[in-house]
């Protein structure tokens, strides 16, 4: 069941990334949608730094920490997008209003938070269950593939905003599994 949980979490993280690209291309233009890849990497990178500093206590409480990270990913995937929409970033005004870049930076950091928690859960799994690294990695890759393909089907039947709720549900299901 644990490997299924890893797959669900990875599927949710990749689906979230694709949904953000779609949503940001509509809300902010396609130029800013490409930044989703870098903000996902930012979330994963910060997670690695935090885990390297706090891995002892987190690994000691692995089942709890893993579930909390999965659940926070599930809760924050839709919530951070809603919060980011409240940040008054106007791409057209960025040319003559330097503060727009501060708004963009704030939005960028807010949208990276769910990736931080998804990566933290996966990093904890790899660290705490090092005897099963190959199986965890396989579950991660299979989940990522399923999420990136599944979100295409999801977008065919649901608007992208509703898709964020499905992604959030994947995080909660991963925590429960």
């Amino acid at each position: 069941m644990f490997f299924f949980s890893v797959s669900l979490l990875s599927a949710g993280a990749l689906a979230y990334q694709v949904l953000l690209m779609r949503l940001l291309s509509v809300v902010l233009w396609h130029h800013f949608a490409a930044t989703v890849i870098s903000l996902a990497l930012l979330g994963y990178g910060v997670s690695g730094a935090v885990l390297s500093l706090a891995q002892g206590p987190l690994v000691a409480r692995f089942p709890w920490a893993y579930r909390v990270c999965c659940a926070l990913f599930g809760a924050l995937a839709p919530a951070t997008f809603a919060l980011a929409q409240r940040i008054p970033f106007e791409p057209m005004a960025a040319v003559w209003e330097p503060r727009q870049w501060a708004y963009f930076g704030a939005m960028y950091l807010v949208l990276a938070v769910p990736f931080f928690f998804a990566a933290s859960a996966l990093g904890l799994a790899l660290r705490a269950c090092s005897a099963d690294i190959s199986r965890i990695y396989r579950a991660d890759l299979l989940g990522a593939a399923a999420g990136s393909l599944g979100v295409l089907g999801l977008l065919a039947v649901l608007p992208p905003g509703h898709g964020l709720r499905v992604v959030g549900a994947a995080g909660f299901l991963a925590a429960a599994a």
Side-chain angles (χ1 to χ4, degrees):
M1 204 63 176
F2 171 66
F3 300 110
F4 179 67
S5 170
V6 168
S7 289
L8 273 175
L9 182 62
S10 293
L14 254 293
Y16 178 62
Q17 187 173 357
V18 173
L19 281 171
L20 278 183
M21 290 183 92
R22 176 72 176 127
L23 288 164
L24 292 181
S25 69
V26 170
V27 173
L28 297 178
W29 301 345
H30 67 281
H31 306 3
F32 292 98
T35 62
V36 170
I37 295 167
S38 64
L39 73 87
L41 291 174
L42 174 67
Y44 274 68
V46 172
S47 167
V50 169
L51 287 178
S52 71
L53 297 173
Q55 68 179 312
L58 292 173
V59 169
R61 295 172 187 83
F62 170 68
W64 174 84
Y66 176 81
R67 287 185 185 109
V68 166
C69 287
C70 289
L72 284 171
F73 167 76
L76 293 174
T80 54
F81 183 77
L83 178 61
Q85 294 306 293
R86 295 182 182 268
I87 297 172
F89 174 60
E90 290 293 331
M92 291 291 286
V95 175
W96 59 84
E97 282 184 34
R99 75 172 174 232
Q100 291 299 324
W101 292 107
Y103 292 145
F104 177 70
M107 186 178 68
Y108 190 84
L109 291 175
V110 164
L111 291 173
V113 172
F115 291 112
F116 169 83
F117 286 108
S120 295
L122 294 171
L124 280 171
L126 290 167
R127 177 65 178 92
C129 306
S130 59
D132 289 323
I133 280 182
S134 61
R135 294 175 69 194
I136 293 169
Y137 191 56
R138 179 178 45 228
D140 175 46
L141 290 176
L142 290 173
S148 61
L149 292 175
V151 74
L152 298 177
L154 185 67
L155 286 170
V157 297
L158 286 177
H162 293 297
L164 287 172
R165 292 188 195 113
V166 174
V167 166
F172 286 116
L173 288 172

